[in-house]
Amino acid sequence: LYGATGRGKTSTAAAAFRRWPHGRPSWVRLGEWVRLIQRCGKDGPQYFGGGEYPHREEHFWRTRIEEPTLLIVDDVGVRSATDPQREIITELIDRRGTRPTIYTGNHGIKELGEVYDGRIASRLLRGIPVELTGHDRRFENVTIRTV
């Protein structure tokens, strides 16, 4: 799901998440996911989501990315990535394979190729890009006051 800010991408993904009838879905914000995996590689086991004890990197890959029957990856392409970050993003896409996954972001496939690289953009083309258009819903009921 892609489109300009305020078009309802995250809300649409959240609706799919809440109504997913086939087992356990998972939700990750891409930037937070990349930072978690990098911390695991640098500092070892990490706490996640209020957990009682830290987990190793492979635990996070299995429970948050591989096992869920649906994965939502929010905020793809927010900022450019370093080579190690691109490797983590590529691994995430590859580990999901063809299982149900929704990626949300502001950029279309061509722009993602510029933000990340063509390899990542190509892998995302396994699915069906859906552009959400229209006006910014966040400004619908906003009254701007001048002082």
Side-chain angles (χ1 to χ4, degrees):
L1 300 173
Y2 72 98
T5 57
R7 300 314 189 258
K9 300 174 296 291
T10 299
S11 295
T12 300
F17 183 90
R18 284 190 306 273
R19 290 172 177 79
W20 185 249
H22 307 291
R24 181 181 63 88
S26 180
W27 184 293
V28 297
R29 280 195 169 26
L30 187 58
E32 292 173 10
W33 177 255
V34 168
R35 284 188 296 278
L36 172 67
I37 295 303
Q38 287 179 314
R39 280 194 317 269
C40 283
K42 180 181 175 217
D43 302 330
Q46 299 289 309
Y47 290 94
F48 187 80
E52 295 181 26
Y53 50 90
H55 294 285
R56 297 185 185 282
E57 178 180 334
E58 191 53 41
H59 168 82
F60 294 119
W61 281 110
R62 188 181 70 254
T63 61
R64 303 287 299 183
I65 304 302
E66 295 172 351
E67 290 177 354
T69 57
L70 170 69
L71 174 64
I72 309 289
V73 182
D74 199 19
D75 289 335
V76 173
V78 171
R79 60 186 49 88
S80 61
T82 64
D83 285 342
Q85 291 169 335
R86 281 193 293 276
E87 290 302 319
I88 293 168
I89 294 165
T90 300
E91 185 171 353
L92 183 153
I93 296 167
D94 288 348
R95 284 190 184 221
R96 280 305 291 177
T98 59
R99 287 172 284 177
T101 308
I102 298 172
Y103 300 94
T104 71
N106 294 343
H107 302 294
I109 296 299
K110 181 180 177 187
E111 293 85 8
L112 280 176
E114 295 167 6
V115 171
Y116 294 140
D117 62 24
R119 185 174 57 148
I120 290 172
S122 174
R123 280 171 167 77
L124 291 172
L125 278 174
R126 288 182 194 150
I128 302 168
V130 176
E131 182 178 12
L132 299 182
T133 60
H135 60 283
D136 187 335
R137 296 178 319 114
R138 293 184 184 124
F139 287 112
E140 283 179 349
N141 298 315
V142 173
T143 304
I144 299 175
R145 299 177 189 186
T146 55
V147 205

